[in-house]
Amino acid sequence: MCALWRKALLLFLVSHNLFVVHCFDSYEVPEEWMLLHIVGGQIGAGNYSYLRLNHEGKIILEMESPKGDADLYVSDATLHPSFDEYELQSTTCGRDVIVVPSYFQRPVGIGIYGHPSHMESEFEIKVYHDRTVQEDPFSEESYDPEERQTNQNKRHASQDAAQEEESILWTILIGILKLVLEILF
């Protein structure tokens, strides 16, 4: 009786493992997608690794994390996107996929973030070009270049204001230091 249960358990485990392996292998890439690059690497917890995307057209970024948990951040406004500054993100614990629209300004910044839950994460990014989409960037109704320029100007204005404030502080500090030096010498 015990041997029968062992065989049944063994059969169940083997069929379960085959099912799991089949589920992971069943993901197929559409024929219209052309593989451009495969980039792999390792990233420490809480750190970023940056890539630059120069290819035109609709691009699909597919990232797997075989070890740990790496997250993906994409921006056409900065080459160093982060979890604070990005246009597109994928922060799943499994397969991360981001579709970079063809109207994104090139170069596009790609940030890979090593999640702090793991000391080290491994990642592999596959970069695909979707050849089915032949979009005219001027016919894109949802893309408003004036609004985009206004948003970028606001970001740059806030950065300039912070730098100007810091510059004024340094000027005052240097003036006080000069005054103290004149009094002492």
Side-chain angles (χ1 to χ4, degrees):
M1 181 74 167
C2 187
L4 181 62
W5 281 109
R6 281 186 189 172
K7 286 182 182 179
L9 180 62
L10 183 63
L11 182 62
F12 172 74
L13 290 175
V14 168
S15 64
H16 177 61
N17 287 340
L18 288 175
F19 174 74
V20 169
V21 169
H22 179 69
C23 284
F24 284 117
D25 288 342
S26 66
Y27 173 73
E28 292 184 24
V29 175
E31 288 182 23
E32 296 82 18
W33 292 5
M34 181 175 68
L35 181 64
L36 299 174
H37 298 287
I38 298 177
V39 180
Q42 297 174 338
I43 188 86
N47 291 318
Y48 286 94
S49 183
Y50 295 105
L51 303 172
R52 180 186 300 210
L53 174 68
N54 291 316
H55 290 283
E56 296 293 330
K58 183 178 177 184
I59 302 295
I60 296 90
L61 304 173
E62 178 188 348
M63 183 174 73
E64 295 274 344
S65 298
K67 176 185 170 193
D69 179 23
D71 297 329
L72 203 52
Y73 297 92
V74 175
S75 174
D76 68 340
T78 179
L79 291 177
H80 299 285
S82 65
F83 55 77
D84 293 328
E85 186 178 357
Y86 63 88
E87 269 73 45
L88 304 170
Q89 71 165 346
S90 181
T91 56
T92 66
C93 290
R95 191 171 134 255
D96 293 296
V97 177
I98 290 183
V99 177
V100 180
S102 60
Y103 61 81
F104 261 39
Q105 191 174 15
R106 300 311 199 252
V108 173
I110 301 170
I112 300 111
Y113 177 69
H115 196 275
S117 63
H118 302 307
M119 289 301 293
E120 185 176 83
S121 297
E122 293 178 3
F123 64 89
E124 180 182 84
I125 299 176
K126 293 181 181 175
V127 181
Y128 296 98
H129 177 250
D130 188 351
R131 296 178 291 184
T132 60
V133 180
Q134 298 296 328
E135 294 181 10
D136 180 5
F138 300 109
S139 69
E140 185 69 42
E141 296 172 357
S142 65
Y143 176 62
D144 185 1
E146 291 175 5
E147 180 181 331
R148 182 169 209 57
Q149 186 65 34
T150 303
N151 290 341
Q152 287 179 347
N153 288 343
K154 285 180 186 177
R155 273 192 234 133
H156 291 300
S158 66
Q159 289 174 351
D160 291 342
Q163 287 176 349
E164 185 177 324
E165 186 176 309
E166 184 178 331
S167 175
I168 291 171
L169 279 169
W170 277 110
T171 304
I172 292 171
L173 184 64
I174 289 172
I176 292 171
L177 187 60
K178 283 181 181 179
L179 184 64
V180 168
L181 288 174
E182 280 184 31
I183 292 172
L184 291 175
F185 299 109

